[in-house]
């Protein structure tokens, strides 16, 4: 019987006409296994009937070869049962093997996996099936504040730990009694029997998790840390059981019991897991606090009456009332009332911001002493708070380049440990004096237990989680985890001027007309044209005309040339406004000396021409931001070069640079030229960080090794950047660098500990030092050391909360 065809719908980007849909249909029909295709231009989607064994990657390749694109999608899962770096590696490998998957990244610290694949081509159930096949349980990826999974895991571990400890205590007492008191506290048979029963309860109860997860992976050929614990504790238990029930099966003198080792291995590792789970819960505390900032309810105003509704039910256009001391339920704009709003959660700035009618406000911020009426503009996933949470989550789930070495090692770590344990057993069995079986077993079990892939798996993600969370609390948002490492390697920081080092709210300070031109006429014409622009200089010109009460003529045919100026018609006259290069061909000799003088004073000169005749030179001054000079000094104190890259007049730029202590100035640079300026700085100094806030900064932000956008800037700048500085304070650049270096230093400490621990203690556990009269490790001490190793890594990462 032929298997039924399966239907697939995939989005296709780039289709603009009927010819496009026809071309996409033709290329898809040529893919083997495609039985029917229908492409809809209106929805931008293709619907296909496929044979069950069709490879979806061929569909995406066919669409892309035709000149179109299948957008990439992300699927996220919470994965239950990942306990070490071997687990994450296994999950990643099985997911990458699913047809259509481009990349999979599992994070041990968050317990999540993120999968990149073409949208519509990889069913979620296929990914879930792959995770289950690997021996783990997938679930929906929820945020820390939405899911009690982390505390529930810690509570379950704590209960199992208490039960294991209570059952293990009599075993330890009986075993110690046999060593301290000649014949023990009880007859030998009774003592061994009681220990056997209690050890069985420990391994079958609290220790069951290690066998249930470890042995299936071992059978499949993909052992993990659970397999090491199961083999170690199980071997000690089974040997002891044989020694108790049928000692005749063992060589003479070898019938020792190690029940206390088996139960203490389980108990001590449960102790480590419990401490680790509680500590890991604290690593995600920052993002949980961010999620918790959004209030659950809002006071909706409708027909003059207040109604308390769930904040999730708010819609764009609703009016809400925010009483003193309450959190704002959504993003919006003040309609009525005045107050001061605490935005420290957003910007890191401790001083509340004054808000009045017309001012924007952000959901999750705290209202001060005045009542406000807000018009809702963004709700749900579109709010600034939701976007911040998404950015932090994306950064926390990323893998850094420094982690690549650890991933390669851990992929082979557990099989290598199993081989070492077997080699240790055989070496002791063959070389030690008889009876050597017990000695060989003890050292082999110690090798299995001492090895700790957990620490290697947690070394990087826990530091990233704590570091990016701490940065978010300080108003620094890393849009990707890799930005942490890239920022640490920066050797030169290049700043844009307007809106980055200056307030971005310039004012018109001078208007010098050419002979025969009326200042007010020139200003009105210039303001009319500049009213169509969002540039800070344009806003200053418009504001000056408004202050004088001038009537602006009608405007038309406006054309903006980025980095040059604006041309258009106003009141029937041709108008051109901009830098000298924008008015090339006109005789500016009469106005140029005035422009030079104003530029020397740190002001930005702008020329105005009416009907092709130079009419005036305007000067605009933009105040330098408080703390900008201190920010530059902090960067130079860290050994970094600092440069100013701006499209403004050279003399004005050099005036600002002198006041801030910046030695390198690249002025009169066009937007495309800013990209070249970044390349030049890279050749001279090394990796570049560029800090900007405007559309014209986007090419430089993208070109630099790391782009930092002022959060008060344009959306284009923010989207082009790797790091967003929410407060708009240039001092946050130095803070971001310090945090980056602290996180990378912490990661290196963790990785060193994780590798050094295993390299140093595995040989000791194998008894190498014993051969030359040195110490060795019992399985119990090995279990304690292994339990504490991962706790050390998480505890070290938690120190970043004070960074």
């Amino acid at each position: 019987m032929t298997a039924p065809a399966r239907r697939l719908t995939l989005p296709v980007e780039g289709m603009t006409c009927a010819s496009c849909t026809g071309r996409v249909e033709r290329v898809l029909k040529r893919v083997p296994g495609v039985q029917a295709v229908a492409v809809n231009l209106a929805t931008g989607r293709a619907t296909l009937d496929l044979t069950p064994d069709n490879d979806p990657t061929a569909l995406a390749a066919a669409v892309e070869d035709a000149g179109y694109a299948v957008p990439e999608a992300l699927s996220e899962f919470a994965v239950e049962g990942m306990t070490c770096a071997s687990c994450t590696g296994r999950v990643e490998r099985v997911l990458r093997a699913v047809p259509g998957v481009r990349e999979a990244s599992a994070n041990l610290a968050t317990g999540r996996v993120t999968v990149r694949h073409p949208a519509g081509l990889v069913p979620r159930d296929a990914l879930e099936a792959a995770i289950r096949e690997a021996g783990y349980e997938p679930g929906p990826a929820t945020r820390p504040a939405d899911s009690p999974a982390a505390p529930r895991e810690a509570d379950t571990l704590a209960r199992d730990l208490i039960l294991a400890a209570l059952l293990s205590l009599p075993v330890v007492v009986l075993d110690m009694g046999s060593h301290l008191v000649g014949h023990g506290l009880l007859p030998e048979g009774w003592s061994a029997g009681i220990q056997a029963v209690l050890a069985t309860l420990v391994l079958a109860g609290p220790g069951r998790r290690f066998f249930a997860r470890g042995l299936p992976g071992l059978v499949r050929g993909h052992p993990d840390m659970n397999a090491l614990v199961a083999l170690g504790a199980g071997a000690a238990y089974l040997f002891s059981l044989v020694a108790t029930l049928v000692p005749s099966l063992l060589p003479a003198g070898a019938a020792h019991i190690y029940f206390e080792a088996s139960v203490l291995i389980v108990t001590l590792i449960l102790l480590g897991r419990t401490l680790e789970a509680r500590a890991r819960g604290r690593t995600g505390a920052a993002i949980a606090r961010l999620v918790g900032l959004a209030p659950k309810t809002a006071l909706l105003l409708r027909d003059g009456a207040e109604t308390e509704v769930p904040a999730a039910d708010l819609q764009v256009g609703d009016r809400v009332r925010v009483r003193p001391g309450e959190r704002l339920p959504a993003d919006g704009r003040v309609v009525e009332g005045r107050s001061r709003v605490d935005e420290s959660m957003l910007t890191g700035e401790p001083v509340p911001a004054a808000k009045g009618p017309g001012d924007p406000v952000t959901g999750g911020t705290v209202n001060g002493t005045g009542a406000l009426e807000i018009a809702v503009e963004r709700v749900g996933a579109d709010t600034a708070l939701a976007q911040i949470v998404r950015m932090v989550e994306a950064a926390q789930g990323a893998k850094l380049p420094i982690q690549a070495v650890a991933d390669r090692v851990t992929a082979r770590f557990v099989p290598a440990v199993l081989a070492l344990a077997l080699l240790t057993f055989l070496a002791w069995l063959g070389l030690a004096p008889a009876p050597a079986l017990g000695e060989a077993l003890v050292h082999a079990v110690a090798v299995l237990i001492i090895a700790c892939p957990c620490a290697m798996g947690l070394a990087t993600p826990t530091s990233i989680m704590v570091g990016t969370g701490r940065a978010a609390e300080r108003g620094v948002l890393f849009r990707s985890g890799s930005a942490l490492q890239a920022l640490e390697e920066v050797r030169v920081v290049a700043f844009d001027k307007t809106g980055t080092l200056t307030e971005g709210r310039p004012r018109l300070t001078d208007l010098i007309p050419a002979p025969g031109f009326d200042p007010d006429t020139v200003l009105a014409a210039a303001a009319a044209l500049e009213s169509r622009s969002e540039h800070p200089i344009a806003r200053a010109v418009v504001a000056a005309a408004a202050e004088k009460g001038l009537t602006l003529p009608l405007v038309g045919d406006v054309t903006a040339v980025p980095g040059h100026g604006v041309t258009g018609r106003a009141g029937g006259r041709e108008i051109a406004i901009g830098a000298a290069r924008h008015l090339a061909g006109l005789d500016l000799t009469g106005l140029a000396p005035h422009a030079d003088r104003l530029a020397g004073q740190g002001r930005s000169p702008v020329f105005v021409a009416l009907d092709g005749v130079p009419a005036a030179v305007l000067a605009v001054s933009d105040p330098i931001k408080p703390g900008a000079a201190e920010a530059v000094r902090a960067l130079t104190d860290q050994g970094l070069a600092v440069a100013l890259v701006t499209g403004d007049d050279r003399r004005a730029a050099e005036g600002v640079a002198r006041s801030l202590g910046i030695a390198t100035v690249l002025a009169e640079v066009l937007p495309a030229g800013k990209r070249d300026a970044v390349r030049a700085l890279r050749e001279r100094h090394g990796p570049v960080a560029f800090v900007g806030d405007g559309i014209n900064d986007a090419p430089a932000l993208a070109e630099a090794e790391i782009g930092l956008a002022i959060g008060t800037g344009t959306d284009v700048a923010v989207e082009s950047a790797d790091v967003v500085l929410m407060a708009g304070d240039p001092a946050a650049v130095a803070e971001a660098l310090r945090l980056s270096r602290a996180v990378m230093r912490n990661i290196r400490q963790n990785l060193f500990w994780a590798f050094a621990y295993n390299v140093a203690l595995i040989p000791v556990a194998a008894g190498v030092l014993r051969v030359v009269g040195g110490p060795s490790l019992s399985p119990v001490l090995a279990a304690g050391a292994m339990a504490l190793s991962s706790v050390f890594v998480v505890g070290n990462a938690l120190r970043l909360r004070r960074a």
Side-chain angles (χ1 to χ4, degrees), residues 172-185 191 195 257:
V172 174
V173 170
L174 288 171
D175 181 73
M176 288 178 63
S178 66
H179 295 298
L180 297 176
V181 183
H183 295 287
L185 301 175
S191 175
Q195 289 183 56
I257 59 172

Side-chain angles (χ1 to χ4, degrees), residues 682-782:
R682 181 184 297 120
E683 289 177 7
R684 192 185 315 167
H685 299 284
V688 182
F690 188 89
V691 190
D693 77 323
I695 293 174
N696 60 342
D697 296 322
L701 288 166
E703 172 66 28
E705 275 74 13
I706 192 84
L708 297 98
I710 301 295
T712 53
T714 63
D715 291 341
V716 175
V718 170
E719 286 300 315
S720 303
D722 306 291
V723 181
V724 181
L725 310 175
M726 298 303 295
D729 183 356
V733 177
E735 184 156 8
L737 276 157
R738 281 193 296 270
L739 274 165
S740 168
R741 290 174 177 175
V743 171
M744 294 309 300
R745 186 166 56 248
N746 193 271
I747 287 173
R748 290 189 183 96
Q749 290 167 353
N750 282 347
L751 286 173
F752 173 79
W753 165 261
F755 282 101
Y757 162 87
N758 284 292
V759 169
L761 292 187
I762 287 177
V764 177
V768 171
L769 298 182
R770 184 86 178 275
V771 177
V772 293
S776 64
L777 281 175
S778 72
V780 174
L781 289 176

Side-chain angles (χ1 to χ4, degrees), residues 119 307 339 355 419 426 447 468 474 531 632 653 682 712 764:
T307 307
S339 186
K355 299 291 181 181
L426 294 175
V447 169
T468 52
R474 302 291 298 160
S531 65
V632 171
R682 181 184 297 120
T712 53
V764 177

Side-chain angles (χ1 to χ4, degrees), residues 125-152:
D125 55 3
L127 300 173
E128 290 178 342
I131 295 172
R132 288 193 182 96
E133 184 185 342
Y136 306 93
E137 185 58 35
T142 54
R143 293 196 177 113
D146 301 330
S147 170
R152 189 170 61 236

Side-chain angles (χ1 to χ4, degrees), residues 468-770:
T468 52
R470 177 61 177 156
E473 292 175 343
R474 302 291 298 160
V476 178
L477 298 181
F478 287 89
R479 300 187 69 219
S480 67
S482 58
L484 277 166
Q485 186 166 345
L487 189 57
E488 186 214 22
E489 296 164 356
V490 161
R491 293 295 171 265
V492 56
V493 179
F495 285 93
D496 171 52
K497 182 175 78 71
T498 305
T500 303
L501 291 173
T502 63
E503 293 284 1
R505 294 191 293 271
R507 57 187 180 85
L508 187 69
T509 56
D510 302 87
L511 192 158
I512 303 171
F517 286 91
D518 175 60
D520 286 352
T521 302
V522 173
L523 181 58
L529 200 61
E530 295 283 36
S531 65
R532 299 295 181 88
S533 172
E534 288 298 315
H535 194 280
I537 290 178
R539 292 198 294 267
V541 173
V542 173
E547 284 177 12
K548 285 197 166 192
L550 301 179
T551 301
L552 306 187
L554 295 175
V555 184
D557 301 329
V558 178
T559 303
V561 183
H564 286 75
V566 184
T567 58
R569 296 184 64 81
R573 307 183 74 172
E574 289 285 345
I575 304 172
I577 307 171
R581 57 182 173 268
H582 187 53
L583 278 67
L586 300 185
D587 183 10
L588 301 175
T589 53
L591 297 173
H594 299 294
D596 293 343
R597 175 178 56 82
L598 294 167
Q601 297 170 359
R603 301 174 186 179
S604 299
V606 179
F607 293 96
V608 181
L610 301 181
D611 294 325
V613 179
V617 60
L618 312 178
V620 172
S621 176
D622 188 5
I624 292 173
K625 285 183 177 179
E630 288 80 357
V632 171
R633 195 177 307 115
L635 292 171
T636 54
D637 288 346
Q638 293 184 39
L640 299 168
V642 181
L644 180 64
V645 181
T646 178
D648 286 357
D649 178 87
R650 170 165 293 281
R651 287 149 302 185
E654 288 175 344
V656 171
R658 276 194 303 273
S659 66
L660 294 175
I662 298 176
T664 304
V665 179
L666 302 173
E668 300 177 0
V669 180
L670 302 180
K674 287 189 176 183
R675 185 189 293 118
D676 297 331
V678 169
R679 291 170 182 163
L681 289 168
R682 181 184 297 120
E683 289 177 7
R684 192 185 315 167
H685 299 284
V688 182
F690 188 89
V691 190
D693 77 323
I695 293 174
N696 60 342
D697 296 322
L701 288 166
E703 172 66 28
E705 275 74 13
I706 192 84
L708 297 98
I710 301 295
T712 53
T714 63
D715 291 341
V716 175
V718 170
E719 286 300 315
S720 303
D722 306 291
V723 181
V724 181
L725 310 175
M726 298 303 295
D729 183 356
V733 177
E735 184 156 8
L737 276 157
R738 281 193 296 270
L739 274 165
S740 168
R741 290 174 177 175
V743 171
M744 294 309 300
R745 186 166 56 248
N746 193 271
I747 287 173
R748 290 189 183 96
Q749 290 167 353
N750 282 347
L751 286 173
F752 173 79
W753 165 261
F755 282 101
Y757 162 87
N758 284 292
V759 169
L761 292 187
I762 287 177
V764 177
V768 171
L769 298 182
R770 184 86 178 275

Side-chain angles (χ1 to χ4, degrees), residues 82 84-93 106-108 136 399 457:
M82 293 195 301
C84 67
S86 297
C87 301
T88 58
R90 169 74 176 144
V91 170
E92 288 173 351
R93 286 193 296 275
N107 188 308
L108 182 60
Y136 306 93
K399 283 200 173 185

Side-chain angles (χ1 to χ4, degrees), residues 88-394:
T88 58
R90 169 74 176 144
V91 170
E92 288 173 351
R93 286 193 296 275
V94 297
L95 286 171
R96 286 174 189 146
V98 175
V101 170
R102 290 173 177 167
E103 184 54 62
S105 177
N107 188 308
L108 182 60
T110 61
R112 290 188 184 190
V113 62
T114 303
V115 186
R116 290 196 295 113
H117 56 82
L121 290 182
V122 182
R124 191 174 176 88
D125 55 3
L127 300 173
E128 290 178 342
I131 295 172
R132 288 193 182 96
E133 184 185 342
Y136 306 93
E137 185 58 35
T142 54
R143 293 196 177 113
D146 301 330
S147 170
R152 189 170 61 236
E153 180 194 6
D155 291 344
T156 302
L157 284 165
R159 283 197 300 271
D160 285 351
L161 169 63
I162 293 169
L163 178 58
L166 291 174
L167 291 172
S168 300
L169 183 60
V171 177
V172 174
V173 170
L174 288 171
D175 181 73
M176 288 178 63
S178 66
H179 295 298
L180 297 176
V181 183
H183 295 287
L185 301 175
L186 293 173
E188 188 174 341
W190 279 88
S191 175
I194 292 171
Q195 289 183 56
V197 171
L198 292 172
T200 302
L201 293 175
V202 171
L203 269 62
R208 183 177 180 275
R209 67 180 68 238
F210 301 114
F211 295 89
R213 293 174 182 170
L215 295 182
L218 188 65
V219 171
R220 294 190 194 101
H222 301 288
D224 60 4
M225 195 210 76
N226 292 303
L228 297 181
V229 176
L231 283 175
Y237 170 78
L238 288 175
F239 183 91
S240 303
L241 201 61
V242 171
T244 300
L245 299 178
V246 279
S248 58
L249 294 178
L250 299 175
H256 303 294
I257 59 172
Y258 301 100
F259 287 122
E260 95 291 349
S262 65
V263 296
L264 285 178
I265 285 169
V266 170
T267 304
L268 288 172
I269 290 175
L270 282 174
L271 172 63
R273 289 268 184 97
T274 304
L275 295 174
E276 178 192 321
R278 295 205 186 283
R280 270 183 16 209
R282 292 198 292 275
T283 64
I287 197 168
R289 280 196 295 271
L290 282 173
V291 174
L293 289 173
K296 303 297 182 188
T297 61
L299 280 179
L300 179 65
L301 295 176
R302 189 167 288 160
D303 300 326
E306 292 181 1
T307 307
E308 188 171 288
V309 299
D313 293 346
L314 291 178
Q315 297 179 357
V316 174
D318 282 345
R319 297 284 183 91
V320 295
R321 177 161 290 148
V322 184
R323 293 176 293 211
E326 291 183 337
R327 290 192 181 275
L328 278 66
D331 293 2
R333 202 164 292 273
V334 178
V335 177
E336 186 179 305
R338 292 187 179 277
S339 186
R340 298 188 74 84
V341 176
D342 180 0
E343 297 179 329
S344 57
M345 52 71 63
L346 188 71
T347 65
E349 289 292 328
V351 180
K355 299 291 181 181
D359 290 334
V361 289
T362 306
T365 55
V366 181
N367 186 25
T369 56
L372 295 175
E373 187 175 317
I374 309 295
V376 175
E377 294 182 347
R378 288 191 296 273
V379 296
D382 297 327
T383 63
L385 181 59
Q387 291 169 21
I388 289 171
V389 170
R390 282 199 299 274
M391 279 190 201
V392 176
E393 284 181 330

